[in-house]
């Protein structure tokens, strides 16, 4: 069975079988008669046949090989005269044939042995193989070493064939096995897939062979399993016909990429690509199109992993793009949590990079905004000159008309006027061209800026696509690597080399560092491979073989962005520079000098610039990009003169270098000499300058991108002459204008008309009645209205230039008007412009028109005969729209902006207008039918991605069906010049739509698209969201670069699943419409008109908001804006493009946590009219500071309750002008004014407060020591209106530090529950009537404690440690003294209270003195005015008993003799009603006979509620 590959065929004209082998000729029956033989050909034939039969007898081979001899003999044609020669040839031929016969006989014997072995291994009898073979279903053969597939014809019904560990090199003999289902030819020596004619084959195992190409499988339509692992395959191909393939194993090959080769295999469920060389995530995304893929292996444990598996975020990337996977790299990934985690990670990355892209766009906008002032400044002078000159021209035109009506002959004057007008028009043309040059210059600069920033966006997109494995870092001069690159470039730039181009030096604009983990990994692996090869001999000195070289790109143009990105992402494959020879294209071309990189390109440009027909702009060539790569040169040799630089010619070299002065390399003549100028006396640049050819592109690692600019001399062809006139040139031009203005005739200015009446109109028109007026020139006045102009029924020409008109509605219904000049006014709208059917000429240039669509629509409807229109120099919203729309819609127009309209202009305009509507054909062209959103790492809209990549398009336009439109799920109409959204009634399944960069003014037209999930409307003219239907599935809405003024709350509320909202660069002023956008994650509102902190409260309730961008709004420039937003929106992860640091959140809490400000009050009360407020109640609100500014807004507030907060001072309360009652119990008040501490003693919060003006900290210039030193000095009174102050339970220990002396008008002071030990610092409170000092630590009262409290009515000192009362001063008005629960022990101390003439209530219960039996009677007796003692009213009977008790004690103290002692009073005389008990500060219940102050009674009531 096994031998050389054999084809078994049956001859149609004989009964024998011929075996064709590589060592034999193809056998066929031939005639015994030769066609040309004239000699004894039969003898030759008989001799050969005899030899053949003899061989058959000896070998046992079938009787067939005599045909070989017959064929050989038939080829010999001889004559009768050459018998000797014939005999010789015949002898040699027979010998050759006999040799063949011997070999064939041996092979025949081996084949028989192979078949016998096959039968024995499978339990079959060789002798009965013909009978048993057809019944056999399975054959197996393992490690027998047999090289050929033979004998399969005996097994026609075979379904499984297993051949493992053989030496088979070719698949053969399967033609008879048409029932074969499983085929194993593994661990053999196959080099090619062929001979597979088994159409029913379902499983094919060809692993561990030497197959280099996937081919020959197109005949296996039923194949389901294919194993080609452990071969030498480099490219996935040849599988496009295997539509039923479910399992594919390509592990252990040399595959670098996947590409779209597996797209036809839609049934594929299992794929093993382990042990290959796939290194890019981009390749893995191709597998996302395999919708049925369940099992994927890229780093099977039995194989080495692909390089891509070693990159960051590998697993996340795969699971996100192929969510249906059940197993990945032999691990079970079917758990939903794993998939959700991958999705969440990717979504965060998408959000992050979207934020960064918007940050780049913001910086771009800022850069472009910087250009606008310069542009306006540059255009100011020419615009003003144009206005002045045009004003004079129109004056001269009016004067000429007036002169022609005069009967006198003024031909000379007319000639002067015409000459002056021509000169003025020439100057107008000059300034107009200068304006155009300025516009073009700034357009180029803007385009260059956009291109530079667009490259950064592409870099970010690359970072996203590679999941951060390729990163780009923009450097600054402070970075060490930036300086390294800069010095490297400047050291390799030789000025002498560039003198021929007029380049004097080089300016580096930007350097970007490339972090490519993919290429770096390849670089290190390849380097390690080389170092492991000891025979190369550079393992010890390899560090000296590194160098940084410049990559050489196409020399005829600057480096293209797409080529640059490809190099930075994928590295160098081959060089395609135009300066290379064909043989050199397999190497990467580099250089160590700028001369090689840029010389050829500049030379090419110089040649083009010298051509007469060349119109190249040198600007792009003046700027360039350079890629600096880290290169391992390895064994580097110099190139030889006659040998092309290829790896075959330099097989032992890793790189080849070619010096600059190489004989066959002459870049340009100016650079062939060594620099010996005075400036470069020691320069040997030419000797060191080389170009390198590196054969292995993996040894070239791009690391830096440098953007540079040539500094040119004035004579350089690269030198761009400045567009702007310098001061001297500008002064000269202005002087020239003045000279022309002064030319004769110099007209005398006419007085300006401010308003029109009948007399004025007739005077100006020089007419007697209105009906005679056909021309009216009102140029150069100050008119804003044309009163009664409608009465001029015959008016044909009207000039109202250089006035102050804002609208043209006054000229409506002038039915005969043909000419209207309204230039140089302030017209903002054409609304009201009606009934001008005969108008032929209209000039509205130099106005303030902005809406081109509206203007053209009005003119099309109201001026149907318009032939000439001038609309330039208006601030149009869409300048590109104006001309094409005007030409396309105004069919009668022949001149536009004084330029004749050509047929080409009309054709382009009609094409433009025809494309402004949505048609069924355009729906088919821009629509896709994908049901699932593509999973790709891209920041573009879903509709744009599908339009570019999806193949699910609709039928051709010629087969449009109504049902087709219903299948559309994606629609991308970006940049299609649409004016409205229409004809979408059939698109009920539309999910993703984009209408960016059109001319839409409304969002209506989507009423039937209720399944929309993503809607992009950027770059239009939309003014409101009204009209947007209730899109309950909408998740993403982008409406940047429009004219929105607000976010309609009714619209946003109808979008319950809105996750993403971007409305940048609009005119939005309020966020009120976002209050219920509870699922919003991302909000971008850059460059709007939000300027009030109050707007933050509208989005404060959005719990999921993580990204917010307010940059470019007025609010973002306010002090502490960022911390303010972070405090109120603690869920934010990024603000204005910058990630939120946890320390910032802490700082925000420190500064704004508990900060009572006007915006917080506005949030609570629901309005900002603070003048209506009289009370502020903010109990238990964690308030730390008060910043109610401006204080004038709170002028009517008289009561503030801030109890149970975290105040440390009165803070901003001191600025409230009319506050009377202040409740600050349960805080941490240390002083009225904030205490200024040294930085060493300040807490983090206090240091933060010092940076905020409204916090109170930092408002005192003196330090603590200085303040303490000034306690004895008078301080400026504050809070003059404050009468009642509650400071209970604040932990106060030092009354002096409180600075209460400054509250000069205070009437009630409550200091209960503190740590006060000494009463002091109250000298300034001369109007104090009530003082509460309960629950403190007061031990004694000093002489100065109450020295100036002459107005004190109530003094409460309960729950202290007072022992003595001897230092109490005389308080004439004191009526109530509360001393309960102190340490008073002796009744003698109570005697000190006799000095208070008005004392009516005393509380002394809880003192040691109260334990004495007669203490109450003693106090009642001593304090004659006392009405209440210890809360119990003193009755007359009690006072009588006290007097009686006193008399008895006096009697007992006298001698007994001679004295008559009266009988004691019976007890029944003292019985009376029970005494009344009073609560201290019980309000109205404690009514004394003596009068009390109203303030006391009122405040007692209030205090009772706060205790």
């Amino acid at each position: 069975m096994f031998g050389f590959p054999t084809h078994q065929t049956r001859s149609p004209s004989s009964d024998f079988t011929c075996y064709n082998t590589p060592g034999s000729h193809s056998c066929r029956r031939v005639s015994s008669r030769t066609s040309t033989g004239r000699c004894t050909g039969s003898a030759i034939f008989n001799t050969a046949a005899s030899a053949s039969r003899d061989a058959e007898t000896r070998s046992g081979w079938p009787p067939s090989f005599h045909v070989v001899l017959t064929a050989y003999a038939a080829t010999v044609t001889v004559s009768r005269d050459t018998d000797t020669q014939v005999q010789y040839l015949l002898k040699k031929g027979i010998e050759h044939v006999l040799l063949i016969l011997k070999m064939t006989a041996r092979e025949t014997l081996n084949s028989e042995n192979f078949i016998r072995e096959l039968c024995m291994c499978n339990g079959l009898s060789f002798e009965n193989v013909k009978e048993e073979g057809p019944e056999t279903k399975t054959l197996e053969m393992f490690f027998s070493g047999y090289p050929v597939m033979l004998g399969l014809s005996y097994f026609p019904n075979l379904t499984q064939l297993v051949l493992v560990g053989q030496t088979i090199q070719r698949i053969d003999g399967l033609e008879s096995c048409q029932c074969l289902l499983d085929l194993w030819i593994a661990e053999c020596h196959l080099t090619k897939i062929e001979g597979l004619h088994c159409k029913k084959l379902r499983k094919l195992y060809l692993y561990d062979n030497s197959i280099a190409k996937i081919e020959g499988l197109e005949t296996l339509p039923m194949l389901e399993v294919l194993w080609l692992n452990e071969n030498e395959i480099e490219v996935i191909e040849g599988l496009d016909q295997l539509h039923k393939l479910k399992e594919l194993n390509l592990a252990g090959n040399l595959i670098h990429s996947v590409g779209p080769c597996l797209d036809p295999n839609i049934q594929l469920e299992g794929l093993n690509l382990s042990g290959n060389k796939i290194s890019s995530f981009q390749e893995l995304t191709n597998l996302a199109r395999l919708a049925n893929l369940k099992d994927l292996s890229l780093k099977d444990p039995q194989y080495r992993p692909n390089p891509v598996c070693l990159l960051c975020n590998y697993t996340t990337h795969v699971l996100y793009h192929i969510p249906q996977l059940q197993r990945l790299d032999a691990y079970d990934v079917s758990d939903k949590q794993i998939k959700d985690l991958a999705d969440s990670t990717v979504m965060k990355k998408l959000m992050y990079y979207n934020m960064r892209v918007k940050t780049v766009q913001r910086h771009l906008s800022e850069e472009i905004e910087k250009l606008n002032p310069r542009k306006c400044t540059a255009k100011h002078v020419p615009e003003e000159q144009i206005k002045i000159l045009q004003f004079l021209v129109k004056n001269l035109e009016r004067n000429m008309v007036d002169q022609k009506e005069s009967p006198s002959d003024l031909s000379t004057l007319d000639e002067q006027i015409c000459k002056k007008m021509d000169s003025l028009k020439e100057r107008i043309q000059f300034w107009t061209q200068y304006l155009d040059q300025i516009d073009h210059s700034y357009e180029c600069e803007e385009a260059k800026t956009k291109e530079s920033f667009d490259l950064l966006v592409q870099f970010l997109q690359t970072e996203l696509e590679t999941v951060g494995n390729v990163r780009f870092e923009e450097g600054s001069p402070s970075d060490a690597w930036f300086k390294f690159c800069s010095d490297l470039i400047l050291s390799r730039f030789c000025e002498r080399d560039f003198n021929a181009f007029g380049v004097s030096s080089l300016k580096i604009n930007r350097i970007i560092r490339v972090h490519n983990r993919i290429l770096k990994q390849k670089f290190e692996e390849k380097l390690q491979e080389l170092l492991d090869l000891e025979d190369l001999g550079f393992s010890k000195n390899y560090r000296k073989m590194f160098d940084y070289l410049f990559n050489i790109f196409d020399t005829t143009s600057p480096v293209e962005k797409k080529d640059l990105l490809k190099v930075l992402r994928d590295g160098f494959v081959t060089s395609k520079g135009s300066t290379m020879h064909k043989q050199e294209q397999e190497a990467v071309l580099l250089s160590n000098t700028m001369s090689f990189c840029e010389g050829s390109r500049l030379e090419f440009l110089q040649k083009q610039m010298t051509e007469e027909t060349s119109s190249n702009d040198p600007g792009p060539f003046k700027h360039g990009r350079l890629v600096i790569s880290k290169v391992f040169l390895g064994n580097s040799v110099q190139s030889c003169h006659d040998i092309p630089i290829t790896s075959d010619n330099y097989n032992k070299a890793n790189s080849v270098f070619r010096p600059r002065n190489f004989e066959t390399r002459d870049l340009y003549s100016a650079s062939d000499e060594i620099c010996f100028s005075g400036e470069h006396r020691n320069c040997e640049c030419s000797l060191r300058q080389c170009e390198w050819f590196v054969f292995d592109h993996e040894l070239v690692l791009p690391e830096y991108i440098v953007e540079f600019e040539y500094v040119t001399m004035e004579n350089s062809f690269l030198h761009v002459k400045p567009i702007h006139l310098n001061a001297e040139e500008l002064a000269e031009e202005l002087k020239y204008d003045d000279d022309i203005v002064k030319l004769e005739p110099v007209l005398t200015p006419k007085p300006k008309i401010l308003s029109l009446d009948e007399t004025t109109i007739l005077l100006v028109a020089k007419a007697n009645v209105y009906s005679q007026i056909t021309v009216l020139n009102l140029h150069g006045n100050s008119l804003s209205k044309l009163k009664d102009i409608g009465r001029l029924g015959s008016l044909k020409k009207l000039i109202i230039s250089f006035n102050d008109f804002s609208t043209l509605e006054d000229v409506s219904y002038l039915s005969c008007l043909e000419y209207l000049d309204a230039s140089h006014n302030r017209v903002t709208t054409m609304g009201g412009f009606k009934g001008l059917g005969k108008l032929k000429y209209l000039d509205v240039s130099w106005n303030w028109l902005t809406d081109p669509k509206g203007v053209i629509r009005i003119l099309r409807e109201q001026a149907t005969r318009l032939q000439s229109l001038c609309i330039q120099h208006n601030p149009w919203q869409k300048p590109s729209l104006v001309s094409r729309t005007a030409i396309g819609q105004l069919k009668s127009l022949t001149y536009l902006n004084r330029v004749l309209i050509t047929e080409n202009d009309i054709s382009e305009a009609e094409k433009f207008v025809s494309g402004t509507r949505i048609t069924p054909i355009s729906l088919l062209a821009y629509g896709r039918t994908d049901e699932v959103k593509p999973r790709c790492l891209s920041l573009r809209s879903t509709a744009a991605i599908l339009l570019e990549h999806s193949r699910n398009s609709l039928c051709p336009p010629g087969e449009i069906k109504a049902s087709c439109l219903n299948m559309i799920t994606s629609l991308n109409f970006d940049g299609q010049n649409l004016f409205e959204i229409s004809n979408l009634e059939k698109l009920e399944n539309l999910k993703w739509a984009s209408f960016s960069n059109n001319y839409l003014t409304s969002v209506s037209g989507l009423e039937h698209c209720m399944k929309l999930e993503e809607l992009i409307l950027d770059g239009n003219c939309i003014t409101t969201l009204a009209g947007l239907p209730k899109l309950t599935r909408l998740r993403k809405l982008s409406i940047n670069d429009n004219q929105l003024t607000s976010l309609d709350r009714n619209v946003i509320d109808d979008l319950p699943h809105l996750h993403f909202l971007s409305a940048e660069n609009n005119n939005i002023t309020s966020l009120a419409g976002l209050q219920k956008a509870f699922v919003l994650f991302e909000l971008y509102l850059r460059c709007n008109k939000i300027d009030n902190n109050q707007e933050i409260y509208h989005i404060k309730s959005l719990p999921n908001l993580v990204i917010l961008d307010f940059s470019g709004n007025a609010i973002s420039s306010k002090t502490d804006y960022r911390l303010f937003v972070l405090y109120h929106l603690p869920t934010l992860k990024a603000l204005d493009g910058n990630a939120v640091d946890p320390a910032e959140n802490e700082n925000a809490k420190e500064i704004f946590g508990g900060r009572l400000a006007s915006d917080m009050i506005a949030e609570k009360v629901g309005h900002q009219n603070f003048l209506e407020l009289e009370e502020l109640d903010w109990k238990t609100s964690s308030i730390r500071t008060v910043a109610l500014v401006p204080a004038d807004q709170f002028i009517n507030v008289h009561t503030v309750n801030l109890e149970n907060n975290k105040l440390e001072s009165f803070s901003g309360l001191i600025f409230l002008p009319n506050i009377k009652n202040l409740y600050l119990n349960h805080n941490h008040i240390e002083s009225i004014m904030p205490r200024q501490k040294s930085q060493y003693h300040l807490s983090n919060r206090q240091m933060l407060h010092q940076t905020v003006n409204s916090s109170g900290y930092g408002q005192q210039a003196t330090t603590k020591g200085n303040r303490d030193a000034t306690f004895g000095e008078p301080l400026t009174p504050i809070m003059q209106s404050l009468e009642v102050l509650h400071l209970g339970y604040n932990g106060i220990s030092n009354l002096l530090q409180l600075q209460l002396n400054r509250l000069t008008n205070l009437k009630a002071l409550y200091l209960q529950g503190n740590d006060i030990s000494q009463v002091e610092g109250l000298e300034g409170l001369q109007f104090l009537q009530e003082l509460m000092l309960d629950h403190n630590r007061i031990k004694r009262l000093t002489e100065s404690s109450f020295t100036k409290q002459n107005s004190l009515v109530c003094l409460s000192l309960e729950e202290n440690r007072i022992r003595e009362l001897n230092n109490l001063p005389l308080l004439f008005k004191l009526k109530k003294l509360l001393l309960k629960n102190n340490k008073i022990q002796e009744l003698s101390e109570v005697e000190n209270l006799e000095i208070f003439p008005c004392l009516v209530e005393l509380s002394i219960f809880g003192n040691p003195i109260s334990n004495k039996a007669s203490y109450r009677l003693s106090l009642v007796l001593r304090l004659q005015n006392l009405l209440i003692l210890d809360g119990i009213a003193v009755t007359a009977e009690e006072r009588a008993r006290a007097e009686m008790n006193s008399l008895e004690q006096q009697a007992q103290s006298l001698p007994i003799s001679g004295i008559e002692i009266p009988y004691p009073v019976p007890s029944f005389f003292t019985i009376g009603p029970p005494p009344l008990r009073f609560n201290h500060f019980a309000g109205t219940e404690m009514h004394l006979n003596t009068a009390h102050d109203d303030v006391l009674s009122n405040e007692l009531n209030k205090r009772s509620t706060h205790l």
Side-chain angles (χ1 to χ4, degrees), residues 962-980:
S963 59
C964 292
L965 300 180
N966 192 40
M967 298 170 59
I968 294 178
T969 58
S970 172
L971 201 58
N972 184 13
F973 273 100
D974 292 349
Q976 297 302 313
N977 306 317
L978 300 180
F979 285 94
E980 62 179 358

Side-chain angles (χ1 to χ4, degrees), residues 351 358 1047 1058-1064 1068 1071 1074 1077 1080-1086 1090 1099 1102 1105-1110 1129 1132 1134-1136:
M351 293 167 64
K358 287 186 174 293
L1047 297 171
L1058 189 64
H1059 289 180
F1060 176 100
L1061 176 60
S1062 182
E1064 298 179 340
I1068 297 172
L1071 304 179
L1074 298 175
L1080 198 63
F1081 282 87
E1082 299 176 72
L1083 178 60
Y1084 299 94
L1085 294 173
R1086 174 178 61 88
I1090 301 169
I1099 59 176
L1102 306 185
L1105 191 63
V1106 294
I1107 295 180
L1108 177 64
D1109 193 343
F1110 277 154
L1129 302 173
L1132 286 183
L1135 176 61
D1136 297 345

Side-chain angles (χ1 to χ4, degrees), residues 207 214 226-230 233 236 239 245-255 258 262 268-276 278 284 287 290 293-306 309 314 325 327-330:
Y207 61 86
I214 304 176
L226 176 61
W227 283 29
L228 290 171
N229 46 307
E230 299 185 55
I233 299 169
I236 301 177
L239 303 175
L245 189 65
K246 293 184 178 180
E247 182 179 345
L248 177 61
N249 191 337
L250 292 171
N253 282 283
L254 305 173
I255 298 170
V258 178
L262 296 176
L268 195 62
E269 296 180 359
L271 176 63
N272 194 337
L273 290 171
S274 304
N276 282 284
I278 300 172
L284 299 186
L287 301 178
L290 302 176
L293 189 62
K294 301 291 191 301
D295 190 342
L296 175 64
S297 290
L298 292 165
K299 56 175 182 178
D300 192 301
Q302 299 180 4
Y303 299 91
R304 56 181 174 80
N306 284 274
C309 302
Y314 152 72
L325 277 183
R327 292 185 65 82
L328 175 62
D329 300 330

Side-chain angles (χ1 to χ4, degrees), residues 9 11 33 105 158 286 326 539 654 730 767 839 1245 1267 1470:
T9 59
S11 175
R33 181 181 301 172
L158 197 65
N286 294 309
Q326 301 298 313
S539 58
N654 301 106
L730 190 61
L839 188 66
R1245 174 170 56 84
R1267 187 188 301 109
T1470 62

